[in-house]
Amino acid sequence: TKPQTHMPPTARLRPDGGADATEYPSAAAALTAAATLGGGTVLLGAGTYREGTLHVPAGVSLLGEGAGWTVVEGSDGSAIVCAGSAVRVANLEARQPIDTPKAPAYALEVRGAAAGDGVSIDGCRLVAVSAARLSAAVLVHGSSASLSACTLEAPSSHGAVLAARGVLRVSGGELARCGGCGFLVLSS
């Protein structure tokens, strides 16, 4: 069974190399603390996180308890933005549920990740409902990312948009209910 929605979700930070995790009042607070430490793993418990856009800094892993169990729901723009190298997002659902008619929206956005040491997205379900031009479940902009065993769902838009020489490596997973292109590559 899925978690009860009335229970507040928990966010914990485990520093790199540390066994103990500290609890934080929100996922955003745990991610900010990880950035201050220069890295670490933010563990999101089961539940729905409605905190606007979560920014995952370089050197940080954001781990949930499984897609459908841990849900990050954005309010507009992107649900999750990964900015920098050596970032990992795994075992969660990122959902951008708002249909923004003018500005593109994404479940997960990757920016500023260096080639070879980019962003790793594993075992996630990425959902975007916006029908705005160039909206997608995933945007990779001038960065390098890999998707492994993920589901991309964008009933009114694209599965993934690659812009400004974005690179996306895909291993397993599925494109489900994409209203536009599965993968849209824009020239730089």
Side-chain angles (χ1 to χ4, degrees), residues 62-64 66-68 70 80 88-94 108 120-127 147-153 173-174:
L62 179 65
L63 308 179
T70 302
I80 298 174
R88 180 172 181 235
V89 176
N91 304 322
L92 56 78
E93 179 175 327
L108 191 137
S120 173
I121 306 145
D122 307 306
C124 292
R125 181 171 182 248
L126 307 171
V127 182
L147 284 175
S148 177
C150 293
T151 298
L152 305 181
E153 186 174 331
E174 71 174 314

mmCIF file with all atom_site columns, all heavy atoms in Angstrom, residues 62-64 66-68 70 80 88-94 108 120-127 147-153 173-174:
data_model
loop_
_atom_site.group_PDB
_atom_site.id
_atom_site.type_symbol
_atom_site.label_atom_id
_atom_site.label_alt_id
_atom_site.label_comp_id
_atom_site.label_asym_id
_atom_site.label_entity_id
_atom_site.label_seq_id
_atom_site.pdbx_PDB_ins_code
_atom_site.Cartn_x
_atom_site.Cartn_y
_atom_site.Cartn_z
_atom_site.occupancy
_atom_site.B_iso_or_equiv
_atom_site.pdbx_formal_charge
_atom_site.auth_seq_id
_atom_site.auth_comp_id
_atom_site.auth_asym_id
_atom_site.auth_atom_id
_atom_site.pdbx_PDB_model_num
ATOM 1   N N   . LEU A 1 62  ? 19.796 12.949 -4.142  1.00 0.00 ? 62  LEU A N   1
ATOM 2   C CA  . LEU A 1 62  ? 18.433 13.097 -3.633  1.00 0.00 ? 62  LEU A CA  1
ATOM 3   C C   . LEU A 1 62  ? 17.745 11.756 -3.846  1.00 0.00 ? 62  LEU A C   1
ATOM 4   O O   . LEU A 1 62  ? 17.499 11.353 -4.977  1.00 0.00 ? 62  LEU A O   1
ATOM 5   C CB  . LEU A 1 62  ? 17.704 14.212 -4.381  1.00 0.00 ? 62  LEU A CB  1
ATOM 6   C CG  . LEU A 1 62  ? 16.257 14.483 -3.982  1.00 0.00 ? 62  LEU A CG  1
ATOM 7   C CD1 . LEU A 1 62  ? 16.179 14.998 -2.545  1.00 0.00 ? 62  LEU A CD1 1
ATOM 8   C CD2 . LEU A 1 62  ? 15.634 15.502 -4.937  1.00 0.00 ? 62  LEU A CD2 1
ATOM 9   N N   . LEU A 1 63  ? 17.471 11.038 -2.739  1.00 0.00 ? 63  LEU A N   1
ATOM 10  C CA  . LEU A 1 63  ? 16.949 9.679  -2.827  1.00 0.00 ? 63  LEU A CA  1
ATOM 11  C C   . LEU A 1 63  ? 15.591 9.569  -2.155  1.00 0.00 ? 63  LEU A C   1
ATOM 12  O O   . LEU A 1 63  ? 15.417 10.004 -1.016  1.00 0.00 ? 63  LEU A O   1
ATOM 13  C CB  . LEU A 1 63  ? 17.912 8.701  -2.152  1.00 0.00 ? 63  LEU A CB  1
ATOM 14  C CG  . LEU A 1 63  ? 19.378 8.755  -2.583  1.00 0.00 ? 63  LEU A CG  1
ATOM 15  C CD1 . LEU A 1 63  ? 20.198 7.737  -1.809  1.00 0.00 ? 63  LEU A CD1 1
ATOM 16  C CD2 . LEU A 1 63  ? 19.498 8.523  -4.075  1.00 0.00 ? 63  LEU A CD2 1
ATOM 17  N N   . GLY A 1 64  ? 14.638 8.963  -2.854  1.00 0.00 ? 64  GLY A N   1
ATOM 18  C CA  . GLY A 1 64  ? 13.320 8.708  -2.293  1.00 0.00 ? 64  GLY A CA  1
ATOM 19  C C   . GLY A 1 64  ? 13.169 7.240  -1.943  1.00 0.00 ? 64  GLY A C   1
ATOM 20  O O   . GLY A 1 64  ? 14.111 6.449  -2.058  1.00 0.00 ? 64  GLY A O   1
ATOM 21  N N   . GLY A 1 66  ? 10.878 5.357  -3.472  1.00 0.00 ? 66  GLY A N   1
ATOM 22  C CA  . GLY A 1 66  ? 10.311 4.709  -4.643  1.00 0.00 ? 66  GLY A CA  1
ATOM 23  C C   . GLY A 1 66  ? 9.318  5.626  -5.343  1.00 0.00 ? 66  GLY A C   1
ATOM 24  O O   . GLY A 1 66  ? 8.626  6.414  -4.691  1.00 0.00 ? 66  GLY A O   1
ATOM 25  N N   . ALA A 1 67  ? 9.274  5.543  -6.677  1.00 0.00 ? 67  ALA A N   1
ATOM 26  C CA  . ALA A 1 67  ? 8.316  6.342  -7.444  1.00 0.00 ? 67  ALA A CA  1
ATOM 27  C C   . ALA A 1 67  ? 6.911  5.934  -7.015  1.00 0.00 ? 67  ALA A C   1
ATOM 28  O O   . ALA A 1 67  ? 6.595  4.763  -6.927  1.00 0.00 ? 67  ALA A O   1
ATOM 29  C CB  . ALA A 1 67  ? 8.517  6.106  -8.936  1.00 0.00 ? 67  ALA A CB  1
ATOM 30  N N   . GLY A 1 68  ? 6.071  6.902  -6.726  1.00 0.00 ? 68  GLY A N   1
ATOM 31  C CA  . GLY A 1 68  ? 4.737  6.631  -6.213  1.00 0.00 ? 68  GLY A CA  1
ATOM 32  C C   . GLY A 1 68  ? 4.686  6.702  -4.698  1.00 0.00 ? 68  GLY A C   1
ATOM 33  O O   . GLY A 1 68  ? 3.658  6.999  -4.115  1.00 0.00 ? 68  GLY A O   1
ATOM 34  N N   . THR A 1 70  ? 7.470  8.355  -2.854  1.00 0.00 ? 70  THR A N   1
ATOM 35  C CA  . THR A 1 70  ? 8.035  9.679  -2.614  1.00 0.00 ? 70  THR A CA  1
ATOM 36  C C   . THR A 1 70  ? 7.738  10.516 -3.849  1.00 0.00 ? 70  THR A C   1
ATOM 37  O O   . THR A 1 70  ? 8.201  10.195 -4.940  1.00 0.00 ? 70  THR A O   1
ATOM 38  C CB  . THR A 1 70  ? 9.557  9.607  -2.380  1.00 0.00 ? 70  THR A CB  1
ATOM 39  O OG1 . THR A 1 70  ? 9.823  8.741  -1.277  1.00 0.00 ? 70  THR A OG1 1
ATOM 40  C CG2 . THR A 1 70  ? 10.139 10.973 -2.109  1.00 0.00 ? 70  THR A CG2 1
ATOM 41  N N   . ILE A 1 80  ? 12.039 19.752 -9.991  1.00 0.00 ? 80  ILE A N   1
ATOM 42  C CA  . ILE A 1 80  ? 13.409 19.567 -9.504  1.00 0.00 ? 80  ILE A CA  1
ATOM 43  C C   . ILE A 1 80  ? 14.372 20.160 -10.532 1.00 0.00 ? 80  ILE A C   1
ATOM 44  O O   . ILE A 1 80  ? 14.233 19.910 -11.730 1.00 0.00 ? 80  ILE A O   1
ATOM 45  C CB  . ILE A 1 80  ? 13.742 18.068 -9.303  1.00 0.00 ? 80  ILE A CB  1
ATOM 46  C CG1 . ILE A 1 80  ? 12.833 17.436 -8.261  1.00 0.00 ? 80  ILE A CG1 1
ATOM 47  C CG2 . ILE A 1 80  ? 15.209 17.883 -8.923  1.00 0.00 ? 80  ILE A CG2 1
ATOM 48  C CD1 . ILE A 1 80  ? 13.000 15.931 -8.120  1.00 0.00 ? 80  ILE A CD1 1
ATOM 49  N N   . ARG A 1 88  ? 22.909 12.970 -8.144  1.00 0.00 ? 88  ARG A N   1
ATOM 50  C CA  . ARG A 1 88  ? 22.113 11.762 -8.377  1.00 0.00 ? 88  ARG A CA  1
ATOM 51  C C   . ARG A 1 88  ? 20.705 11.984 -7.818  1.00 0.00 ? 88  ARG A C   1
ATOM 52  O O   . ARG A 1 88  ? 20.549 12.465 -6.697  1.00 0.00 ? 88  ARG A O   1
ATOM 53  C CB  . ARG A 1 88  ? 22.742 10.550 -7.693  1.00 0.00 ? 88  ARG A CB  1
ATOM 54  C CG  . ARG A 1 88  ? 21.942 9.282  -7.925  1.00 0.00 ? 88  ARG A CG  1
ATOM 55  C CD  . ARG A 1 88  ? 22.667 8.042  -7.421  1.00 0.00 ? 88  ARG A CD  1
ATOM 56  N NE  . ARG A 1 88  ? 21.848 6.877  -7.708  1.00 0.00 ? 88  ARG A NE  1
ATOM 57  C CZ  . ARG A 1 88  ? 21.468 6.001  -6.805  1.00 0.00 ? 88  ARG A CZ  1
ATOM 58  N NH1 . ARG A 1 88  ? 21.867 6.126  -5.545  1.00 0.00 ? 88  ARG A NH1 1
ATOM 59  N NH2 . ARG A 1 88  ? 20.720 4.968  -7.132  1.00 0.00 ? 88  ARG A NH2 1
ATOM 60  N N   . VAL A 1 89  ? 19.698 11.648 -8.621  1.00 0.00 ? 89  VAL A N   1
ATOM 61  C CA  . VAL A 1 89  ? 18.299 11.667 -8.201  1.00 0.00 ? 89  VAL A CA  1
ATOM 62  C C   . VAL A 1 89  ? 17.770 10.259 -8.437  1.00 0.00 ? 89  VAL A C   1
ATOM 63  O O   . VAL A 1 89  ? 17.898 9.733  -9.541  1.00 0.00 ? 89  VAL A O   1
ATOM 64  C CB  . VAL A 1 89  ? 17.474 12.700 -8.997  1.00 0.00 ? 89  VAL A CB  1
ATOM 65  C CG1 . VAL A 1 89  ? 16.007 12.650 -8.612  1.00 0.00 ? 89  VAL A CG1 1
ATOM 66  C CG2 . VAL A 1 89  ? 18.036 14.105 -8.801  1.00 0.00 ? 89  VAL A CG2 1
ATOM 67  N N   . ALA A 1 90  ? 17.199 9.637  -7.401  1.00 0.00 ? 90  ALA A N   1
ATOM 68  C CA  . ALA A 1 90  ? 16.780 8.248  -7.563  1.00 0.00 ? 90  ALA A CA  1
ATOM 69  C C   . ALA A 1 90  ? 15.548 7.931  -6.726  1.00 0.00 ? 90  ALA A C   1
ATOM 70  O O   . ALA A 1 90  ? 15.322 8.515  -5.658  1.00 0.00 ? 90  ALA A O   1
ATOM 71  C CB  . ALA A 1 90  ? 17.923 7.298  -7.177  1.00 0.00 ? 90  ALA A CB  1
ATOM 72  N N   . ASN A 1 91  ? 14.788 6.976  -7.236  1.00 0.00 ? 91  ASN A N   1
ATOM 73  C CA  . ASN A 1 91  ? 13.682 6.343  -6.513  1.00 0.00 ? 91  ASN A CA  1
ATOM 74  C C   . ASN A 1 91  ? 12.621 7.327  -6.028  1.00 0.00 ? 91  ASN A C   1
ATOM 75  O O   . ASN A 1 91  ? 12.200 7.287  -4.878  1.00 0.00 ? 91  ASN A O   1
ATOM 76  C CB  . ASN A 1 91  ? 14.210 5.523  -5.327  1.00 0.00 ? 91  ASN A CB  1
ATOM 77  C CG  . ASN A 1 91  ? 15.213 4.496  -5.779  1.00 0.00 ? 91  ASN A CG  1
ATOM 78  O OD1 . ASN A 1 91  ? 15.052 3.892  -6.837  1.00 0.00 ? 91  ASN A OD1 1
ATOM 79  N ND2 . ASN A 1 91  ? 16.267 4.314  -5.013  1.00 0.00 ? 91  ASN A ND2 1
ATOM 80  N N   . LEU A 1 92  ? 12.186 8.204  -6.928  1.00 0.00 ? 92  LEU A N   1
ATOM 81  C CA  . LEU A 1 92  ? 11.115 9.128  -6.576  1.00 0.00 ? 92  LEU A CA  1
ATOM 82  C C   . LEU A 1 92  ? 10.307 9.476  -7.821  1.00 0.00 ? 92  LEU A C   1
ATOM 83  O O   . LEU A 1 92  ? 10.674 9.121  -8.933  1.00 0.00 ? 92  LEU A O   1
ATOM 84  C CB  . LEU A 1 92  ? 11.655 10.385 -5.893  1.00 0.00 ? 92  LEU A CB  1
ATOM 85  C CG  . LEU A 1 92  ? 12.714 11.237 -6.601  1.00 0.00 ? 92  LEU A CG  1
ATOM 86  C CD1 . LEU A 1 92  ? 12.128 12.137 -7.686  1.00 0.00 ? 92  LEU A CD1 1
ATOM 87  C CD2 . LEU A 1 92  ? 13.430 12.090 -5.579  1.00 0.00 ? 92  LEU A CD2 1
ATOM 88  N N   . GLU A 1 93  ? 9.205  10.152 -7.591  1.00 0.00 ? 93  GLU A N   1
ATOM 89  C CA  . GLU A 1 93  ? 8.392  10.683 -8.680  1.00 0.00 ? 93  GLU A CA  1
ATOM 90  C C   . GLU A 1 93  ? 8.476  12.194 -8.614  1.00 0.00 ? 93  GLU A C   1
ATOM 91  O O   . GLU A 1 93  ? 8.258  12.792 -7.560  1.00 0.00 ? 93  GLU A O   1
ATOM 92  C CB  . GLU A 1 93  ? 6.938  10.243 -8.519  1.00 0.00 ? 93  GLU A CB  1
ATOM 93  C CG  . GLU A 1 93  ? 6.015  10.774 -9.590  1.00 0.00 ? 93  GLU A CG  1
ATOM 94  C CD  . GLU A 1 93  ? 4.609  10.221 -9.483  1.00 0.00 ? 93  GLU A CD  1
ATOM 95  O OE1 . GLU A 1 93  ? 4.451  9.050  -9.066  1.00 0.00 ? 93  GLU A OE1 1
ATOM 96  O OE2 . GLU A 1 93  ? 3.670  10.958 -9.814  1.00 0.00 ? 93  GLU A OE2 1
ATOM 97  N N   . ALA A 1 94  ? 8.849  12.821 -9.738  1.00 0.00 ? 94  ALA A N   1
ATOM 98  C CA  . ALA A 1 94  ? 8.853  14.281 -9.839  1.00 0.00 ? 94  ALA A CA  1
ATOM 99  C C   . ALA A 1 94  ? 7.696  14.641 -10.750 1.00 0.00 ? 94  ALA A C   1
ATOM 100 O O   . ALA A 1 94  ? 7.575  14.120 -11.855 1.00 0.00 ? 94  ALA A O   1
ATOM 101 C CB  . ALA A 1 94  ? 10.171 14.786 -10.410 1.00 0.00 ? 94  ALA A CB  1
ATOM 102 N N   . LEU A 1 108 ? 11.757 17.549 -14.318 1.00 0.00 ? 108 LEU A N   1
ATOM 103 C CA  . LEU A 1 108 ? 13.149 17.591 -13.883 1.00 0.00 ? 108 LEU A CA  1
ATOM 104 C C   . LEU A 1 108 ? 13.968 18.343 -14.919 1.00 0.00 ? 108 LEU A C   1
ATOM 105 O O   . LEU A 1 108 ? 13.842 18.094 -16.117 1.00 0.00 ? 108 LEU A O   1
ATOM 106 C CB  . LEU A 1 108 ? 13.693 16.175 -13.703 1.00 0.00 ? 108 LEU A CB  1
ATOM 107 C CG  . LEU A 1 108 ? 15.038 16.103 -13.010 1.00 0.00 ? 108 LEU A CG  1
ATOM 108 C CD1 . LEU A 1 108 ? 15.042 14.982 -11.993 1.00 0.00 ? 108 LEU A CD1 1
ATOM 109 C CD2 . LEU A 1 108 ? 16.143 15.902 -14.007 1.00 0.00 ? 108 LEU A CD2 1
ATOM 110 N N   . SER A 1 120 ? 22.877 11.819 -12.701 1.00 0.00 ? 120 SER A N   1
ATOM 111 C CA  . SER A 1 120 ? 22.364 10.459 -12.843 1.00 0.00 ? 120 SER A CA  1
ATOM 112 C C   . SER A 1 120 ? 20.946 10.414 -12.273 1.00 0.00 ? 120 SER A C   1
ATOM 113 O O   . SER A 1 120 ? 20.727 10.815 -11.131 1.00 0.00 ? 120 SER A O   1
ATOM 114 C CB  . SER A 1 120 ? 23.275 9.502  -12.083 1.00 0.00 ? 120 SER A CB  1
ATOM 115 O OG  . SER A 1 120 ? 22.735 8.214  -12.063 1.00 0.00 ? 120 SER A OG  1
ATOM 116 N N   . ILE A 1 121 ? 19.999 9.952  -13.079 1.00 0.00 ? 121 ILE A N   1
ATOM 117 C CA  . ILE A 1 121 ? 18.594 9.863  -12.672 1.00 0.00 ? 121 ILE A CA  1
ATOM 118 C C   . ILE A 1 121 ? 18.193 8.398  -12.800 1.00 0.00 ? 121 ILE A C   1
ATOM 119 O O   . ILE A 1 121 ? 18.195 7.842  -13.895 1.00 0.00 ? 121 ILE A O   1
ATOM 120 C CB  . ILE A 1 121 ? 17.711 10.759 -13.556 1.00 0.00 ? 121 ILE A CB  1
ATOM 121 C CG1 . ILE A 1 121 ? 18.246 12.202 -13.553 1.00 0.00 ? 121 ILE A CG1 1
ATOM 122 C CG2 . ILE A 1 121 ? 16.260 10.727 -13.081 1.00 0.00 ? 121 ILE A CG2 1
ATOM 123 C CD1 . ILE A 1 121 ? 18.070 12.910 -14.849 1.00 0.00 ? 121 ILE A CD1 1
ATOM 124 N N   . ASP A 1 122 ? 17.890 7.768  -11.660 1.00 0.00 ? 122 ASP A N   1
ATOM 125 C CA  . ASP A 1 122 ? 17.662 6.324  -11.645 1.00 0.00 ? 122 ASP A CA  1
ATOM 126 C C   . ASP A 1 122 ? 16.321 5.973  -11.000 1.00 0.00 ? 122 ASP A C   1
ATOM 127 O O   . ASP A 1 122 ? 16.009 6.472  -9.910  1.00 0.00 ? 122 ASP A O   1
ATOM 128 C CB  . ASP A 1 122 ? 18.764 5.624  -10.837 1.00 0.00 ? 122 ASP A CB  1
ATOM 129 C CG  . ASP A 1 122 ? 20.162 5.993  -11.309 1.00 0.00 ? 122 ASP A CG  1
ATOM 130 O OD1 . ASP A 1 122 ? 20.428 5.832  -12.508 1.00 0.00 ? 122 ASP A OD1 1
ATOM 131 O OD2 . ASP A 1 122 ? 20.963 6.448  -10.477 1.00 0.00 ? 122 ASP A OD2 1
ATOM 132 N N   . GLY A 1 123 ? 15.569 5.093  -11.658 1.00 0.00 ? 123 GLY A N   1
ATOM 133 C CA  . GLY A 1 123 ? 14.352 4.545  -11.068 1.00 0.00 ? 123 GLY A CA  1
ATOM 134 C C   . GLY A 1 123 ? 13.297 5.580  -10.725 1.00 0.00 ? 123 GLY A C   1
ATOM 135 O O   . GLY A 1 123 ? 12.577 5.434  -9.741  1.00 0.00 ? 123 GLY A O   1
ATOM 136 N N   . CYS A 1 124 ? 13.180 6.625  -11.541 1.00 0.00 ? 124 CYS A N   1
ATOM 137 C CA  . CYS A 1 124 ? 12.237 7.708  -11.263 1.00 0.00 ? 124 CYS A CA  1
ATOM 138 C C   . CYS A 1 124 ? 11.078 7.696  -12.260 1.00 0.00 ? 124 CYS A C   1
ATOM 139 O O   . CYS A 1 124 ? 11.202 7.183  -13.370 1.00 0.00 ? 124 CYS A O   1
ATOM 140 C CB  . CYS A 1 124 ? 12.934 9.061  -11.360 1.00 0.00 ? 124 CYS A CB  1
ATOM 141 S SG  . CYS A 1 124 ? 14.150 9.352  -10.055 1.00 0.00 ? 124 CYS A SG  1
ATOM 142 N N   . ARG A 1 125 ? 9.979  8.274  -11.848 1.00 0.00 ? 125 ARG A N   1
ATOM 143 C CA  . ARG A 1 125 ? 8.850  8.563  -12.733 1.00 0.00 ? 125 ARG A CA  1
ATOM 144 C C   . ARG A 1 125 ? 8.790  10.076 -12.834 1.00 0.00 ? 125 ARG A C   1
ATOM 145 O O   . ARG A 1 125 ? 8.678  10.767 -11.816 1.00 0.00 ? 125 ARG A O   1
ATOM 146 C CB  . ARG A 1 125 ? 7.549  8.014  -12.159 1.00 0.00 ? 125 ARG A CB  1
ATOM 147 C CG  . ARG A 1 125 ? 6.364  8.260  -13.056 1.00 0.00 ? 125 ARG A CG  1
ATOM 148 C CD  . ARG A 1 125 ? 5.131  7.508  -12.537 1.00 0.00 ? 125 ARG A CD  1
ATOM 149 N NE  . ARG A 1 125 ? 4.031  7.717  -13.424 1.00 0.00 ? 125 ARG A NE  1
ATOM 150 C CZ  . ARG A 1 125 ? 2.937  8.411  -13.105 1.00 0.00 ? 125 ARG A CZ  1
ATOM 151 N NH1 . ARG A 1 125 ? 2.797  8.913  -11.890 1.00 0.00 ? 125 ARG A NH1 1
ATOM 152 N NH2 . ARG A 1 125 ? 1.984  8.566  -13.982 1.00 0.00 ? 125 ARG A NH2 1
ATOM 153 N N   . LEU A 1 126 ? 8.888  10.614 -14.062 1.00 0.00 ? 126 LEU A N   1
ATOM 154 C CA  . LEU A 1 126 ? 8.946  12.053 -14.289 1.00 0.00 ? 126 LEU A CA  1
ATOM 155 C C   . LEU A 1 126 ? 7.733  12.453 -15.119 1.00 0.00 ? 126 LEU A C   1
ATOM 156 O O   . LEU A 1 126 ? 7.573  11.995 -16.246 1.00 0.00 ? 126 LEU A O   1
ATOM 157 C CB  . LEU A 1 126 ? 10.252 12.417 -14.993 1.00 0.00 ? 126 LEU A CB  1
ATOM 158 C CG  . LEU A 1 126 ? 11.509 11.892 -14.295 1.00 0.00 ? 126 LEU A CG  1
ATOM 159 C CD1 . LEU A 1 126 ? 12.741 12.108 -15.151 1.00 0.00 ? 126 LEU A CD1 1
ATOM 160 C CD2 . LEU A 1 126 ? 11.672 12.524 -12.931 1.00 0.00 ? 126 LEU A CD2 1
ATOM 161 N N   . VAL A 1 127 ? 6.864  13.301 -14.535 1.00 0.00 ? 127 VAL A N   1
ATOM 162 C CA  . VAL A 1 127 ? 5.573  13.627 -15.138 1.00 0.00 ? 127 VAL A CA  1
ATOM 163 C C   . VAL A 1 127 ? 5.425  15.141 -15.292 1.00 0.00 ? 127 VAL A C   1
ATOM 164 O O   . VAL A 1 127 ? 5.587  15.884 -14.320 1.00 0.00 ? 127 VAL A O   1
ATOM 165 C CB  . VAL A 1 127 ? 4.406  13.109 -14.266 1.00 0.00 ? 127 VAL A CB  1
ATOM 166 C CG1 . VAL A 1 127 ? 3.069  13.400 -14.916 1.00 0.00 ? 127 VAL A CG1 1
ATOM 167 C CG2 . VAL A 1 127 ? 4.560  11.626 -13.984 1.00 0.00 ? 127 VAL A CG2 1
ATOM 168 N N   . LEU A 1 147 ? 19.700 8.678  -17.784 1.00 0.00 ? 147 LEU A N   1
ATOM 169 C CA  . LEU A 1 147 ? 18.440 8.153  -17.256 1.00 0.00 ? 147 LEU A CA  1
ATOM 170 C C   . LEU A 1 147 ? 18.530 6.641  -17.266 1.00 0.00 ? 147 LEU A C   1
ATOM 171 O O   . LEU A 1 147 ? 18.871 6.048  -18.280 1.00 0.00 ? 147 LEU A O   1
ATOM 172 C CB  . LEU A 1 147 ? 17.257 8.535  -18.155 1.00 0.00 ? 147 LEU A CB  1
ATOM 173 C CG  . LEU A 1 147 ? 16.706 9.935  -18.129 1.00 0.00 ? 147 LEU A CG  1
ATOM 174 C CD1 . LEU A 1 147 ? 15.636 10.085 -19.193 1.00 0.00 ? 147 LEU A CD1 1
ATOM 175 C CD2 . LEU A 1 147 ? 16.128 10.258 -16.774 1.00 0.00 ? 147 LEU A CD2 1
ATOM 176 N N   . SER A 1 148 ? 18.209 6.027  -16.140 1.00 0.00 ? 148 SER A N   1
ATOM 177 C CA  . SER A 1 148 ? 18.226 4.576  -16.060 1.00 0.00 ? 148 SER A CA  1
ATOM 178 C C   . SER A 1 148 ? 16.936 4.098  -15.404 1.00 0.00 ? 148 SER A C   1
ATOM 179 O O   . SER A 1 148 ? 16.608 4.528  -14.293 1.00 0.00 ? 148 SER A O   1
ATOM 180 C CB  . SER A 1 148 ? 19.439 4.115  -15.252 1.00 0.00 ? 148 SER A CB  1
ATOM 181 O OG  . SER A 1 148 ? 19.424 2.716  -15.101 1.00 0.00 ? 148 SER A OG  1
ATOM 182 N N   . ALA A 1 149 ? 16.213 3.226  -16.079 1.00 0.00 ? 149 ALA A N   1
ATOM 183 C CA  . ALA A 1 149 ? 14.986 2.622  -15.564 1.00 0.00 ? 149 ALA A CA  1
ATOM 184 C C   . ALA A 1 149 ? 13.970 3.671  -15.113 1.00 0.00 ? 149 ALA A C   1
ATOM 185 O O   . ALA A 1 149 ? 13.343 3.532  -14.068 1.00 0.00 ? 149 ALA A O   1
ATOM 186 C CB  . ALA A 1 149 ? 15.308 1.647  -14.432 1.00 0.00 ? 149 ALA A CB  1
ATOM 187 N N   . CYS A 1 150 ? 13.814 4.732  -15.905 1.00 0.00 ? 150 CYS A N   1
ATOM 188 C CA  . CYS A 1 150 ? 12.863 5.796  -15.582 1.00 0.00 ? 150 CYS A CA  1
ATOM 189 C C   . CYS A 1 150 ? 11.662 5.757  -16.521 1.00 0.00 ? 150 CYS A C   1
ATOM 190 O O   . CYS A 1 150 ? 11.764 5.284  -17.641 1.00 0.00 ? 150 CYS A O   1
ATOM 191 C CB  . CYS A 1 150 ? 13.529 7.170  -15.715 1.00 0.00 ? 150 CYS A CB  1
ATOM 192 S SG  . CYS A 1 150 ? 14.809 7.484  -14.493 1.00 0.00 ? 150 CYS A SG  1
ATOM 193 N N   . THR A 1 151 ? 10.549 6.290  -16.055 1.00 0.00 ? 151 THR A N   1
ATOM 194 C CA  . THR A 1 151 ? 9.361  6.475  -16.881 1.00 0.00 ? 151 THR A CA  1
ATOM 195 C C   . THR A 1 151 ? 9.177  7.961  -17.109 1.00 0.00 ? 151 THR A C   1
ATOM 196 O O   . THR A 1 151 ? 9.156  8.741  -16.148 1.00 0.00 ? 151 THR A O   1
ATOM 197 C CB  . THR A 1 151 ? 8.110  5.895  -16.191 1.00 0.00 ? 151 THR A CB  1
ATOM 198 O OG1 . THR A 1 151 ? 8.293  4.495  -16.007 1.00 0.00 ? 151 THR A OG1 1
ATOM 199 C CG2 . THR A 1 151 ? 6.862  6.134  -17.016 1.00 0.00 ? 151 THR A CG2 1
ATOM 200 N N   . LEU A 1 152 ? 9.061  8.365  -18.379 1.00 0.00 ? 152 LEU A N   1
ATOM 201 C CA  . LEU A 1 152 ? 8.800  9.755  -18.738 1.00 0.00 ? 152 LEU A CA  1
ATOM 202 C C   . LEU A 1 152 ? 7.365  9.842  -19.220 1.00 0.00 ? 152 LEU A C   1
ATOM 203 O O   . LEU A 1 152 ? 6.960  9.121  -20.132 1.00 0.00 ? 152 LEU A O   1
ATOM 204 C CB  . LEU A 1 152 ? 9.740  10.226 -19.854 1.00 0.00 ? 152 LEU A CB  1
ATOM 205 C CG  . LEU A 1 152 ? 11.235 10.065 -19.620 1.00 0.00 ? 152 LEU A CG  1
ATOM 206 C CD1 . LEU A 1 152 ? 12.016 10.612 -20.806 1.00 0.00 ? 152 LEU A CD1 1
ATOM 207 C CD2 . LEU A 1 152 ? 11.657 10.748 -18.340 1.00 0.00 ? 152 LEU A CD2 1
ATOM 208 N N   . GLU A 1 153 ? 6.591  10.753 -18.610 1.00 0.00 ? 153 GLU A N   1
ATOM 209 C CA  . GLU A 1 153 ? 5.184  10.898 -18.966 1.00 0.00 ? 153 GLU A CA  1
ATOM 210 C C   . GLU A 1 153 ? 4.884  12.378 -19.167 1.00 0.00 ? 153 GLU A C   1
ATOM 211 O O   . GLU A 1 153 ? 5.099  13.189 -18.268 1.00 0.00 ? 153 GLU A O   1
ATOM 212 C CB  . GLU A 1 153 ? 4.314  10.328 -17.858 1.00 0.00 ? 153 GLU A CB  1
ATOM 213 C CG  . GLU A 1 153 ? 2.857  10.291 -18.194 1.00 0.00 ? 153 GLU A CG  1
ATOM 214 C CD  . GLU A 1 153 ? 2.046  9.577  -17.123 1.00 0.00 ? 153 GLU A CD  1
ATOM 215 O OE1 . GLU A 1 153 ? 2.572  8.692  -16.446 1.00 0.00 ? 153 GLU A OE1 1
ATOM 216 O OE2 . GLU A 1 153 ? 0.874  9.950  -16.971 1.00 0.00 ? 153 GLU A OE2 1
ATOM 217 N N   . GLY A 1 173 ? 13.765 1.761  -19.142 1.00 0.00 ? 173 GLY A N   1
ATOM 218 C CA  . GLY A 1 173 ? 12.704 2.720  -18.879 1.00 0.00 ? 173 GLY A CA  1
ATOM 219 C C   . GLY A 1 173 ? 11.693 2.765  -19.999 1.00 0.00 ? 173 GLY A C   1
ATOM 220 O O   . GLY A 1 173 ? 11.701 1.928  -20.904 1.00 0.00 ? 173 GLY A O   1
ATOM 221 N N   . GLU A 1 174 ? 10.800 3.774  -19.927 1.00 0.00 ? 174 GLU A N   1
ATOM 222 C CA  . GLU A 1 174 ? 9.765  3.874  -20.951 1.00 0.00 ? 174 GLU A CA  1
ATOM 223 C C   . GLU A 1 174 ? 9.288  5.306  -21.123 1.00 0.00 ? 174 GLU A C   1
ATOM 224 O O   . GLU A 1 174 ? 9.380  6.126  -20.216 1.00 0.00 ? 174 GLU A O   1
ATOM 225 C CB  . GLU A 1 174 ? 8.575  2.975  -20.612 1.00 0.00 ? 174 GLU A CB  1
ATOM 226 C CG  . GLU A 1 174 ? 7.744  3.459  -19.437 1.00 0.00 ? 174 GLU A CG  1
ATOM 227 C CD  . GLU A 1 174 ? 6.484  2.631  -19.206 1.00 0.00 ? 174 GLU A CD  1
ATOM 228 O OE1 . GLU A 1 174 ? 5.775  2.340  -20.170 1.00 0.00 ? 174 GLU A OE1 1
ATOM 229 O OE2 . GLU A 1 174 ? 6.250  2.294  -18.049 1.00 0.00 ? 174 GLU A OE2 1
#
